[in-house]
Amino acid sequence: MDQIDKIKELILPELSAFDVKLYDVKWLNDKKMRILQIAIMKNDGTMDIDTCANVSEKLSAIMDETFSTMDEYFLEVCSPGAEREVRDLSELPNLVHQYIYVRLKHPAKKMMEITGNLLKVEGSEITMDYRDKALTRQVTFEQDEIEFCRLAVKL
């Protein structure tokens, strides 16, 4: 078991106490500082700064106690971001009415990339709307056609 797996095992029970789930754990380097970045989110995909601060305080104490011999590092508890990757496509039904970006394996209506509102998920069928010049159109495709998916920010 590598260090990241040990950290995940250690923090997962604590995260459930805050009603948040783990999105990612990774080590980053910024000049000479090592950063342990723990990205979390609520079950509805949102996050707020107060929750991050509370979780950070709790995890910091646990990490200091468990890894007291570890080299100096900075703990960063954060949100996965407004344009986070949707890693588990079973999450799509919870994202209905969200603005998303999808890259497909094969074209749908001659498009490989679609950015728009997720309108519905019925079984394995995904329906989105998108802007085509001044018109709003719809496209439907199979979930297994998705190569990559992330939340998007509407500008």
Side-chain angles (χ1 to χ4, degrees):
M1 181 181 293
D2 71 357
Q3 190 178 45
I4 293 290
D5 290 333
K6 288 179 186 175
I7 292 168
K8 286 179 182 179
E9 185 179 291
L10 181 68
I11 67 174
L12 281 172
E14 301 302 325
L15 295 180
S16 66
F18 287 94
D19 202 27
V20 296
K21 59 185 177 180
L22 181 64
Y23 181 80
D24 199 13
V25 175
K26 60 185 169 188
W27 283 105
L28 304 171
N29 291 309
D30 183 22
K31 298 178 185 165
K32 294 182 181 183
M33 177 59 80
R34 285 184 42 159
I35 301 168
L36 176 60
Q37 185 182 72
I38 300 175
I40 59 173
M41 64 183 183
K42 294 181 180 180
N43 290 325
D44 65 1
T46 63
M47 186 44 54
D48 60 81
I49 194 146
D50 291 335
T51 303
C52 284
N54 293 334
V55 171
S56 179
E57 188 175 318
K58 179 68 174 179
L59 295 186
S60 181
I62 292 168
M63 296 295 294
D64 288 348
E65 183 179 305
T66 307
F67 296 106
S68 59
T69 60
M70 194 161 61
D71 291 338
E72 188 175 317
Y73 69 96
F74 178 77
L75 176 64
E76 177 182 284
V77 177
C78 61
S79 157
E83 291 194 334
R84 72 174 169 82
E85 179 181 351
V86 178
R87 296 179 177 170
D88 184 357
L89 295 181
S90 67
E91 188 182 342
L92 285 175
N94 298 333
L95 298 177
V96 170
H97 305 299
Q98 296 284 329
Y99 197 65
I100 65 172
Y101 164 85
V102 174
R103 184 173 57 236
L104 301 172
K105 296 174 186 172
H106 302 99
K109 290 194 175 182
K110 300 181 183 179
M111 296 180 297
M112 293 292 290
E113 298 180 356
I114 305 162
T115 303
N117 294 301
L118 178 60
L119 297 177
K120 62 183 172 179
V121 178
E122 290 180 340
S124 64
E125 211 173 66
I126 310 294
T127 303
M128 292 178 63
D129 71 7
Y130 64 96
R131 298 288 296 171
D132 181 14
K133 298 179 183 163
L135 301 173
T136 300
R137 301 186 187 272
Q138 287 187 5
V139 61
T140 301
F141 51 89
E142 293 294 317
Q143 183 171 312
D144 62 1
E145 284 296 313
I146 297 174
E147 181 176 79
F148 176 81
C149 181
R150 68 170 168 76
L151 297 179
V153 175
K154 190 183 263 187
L155 299 175

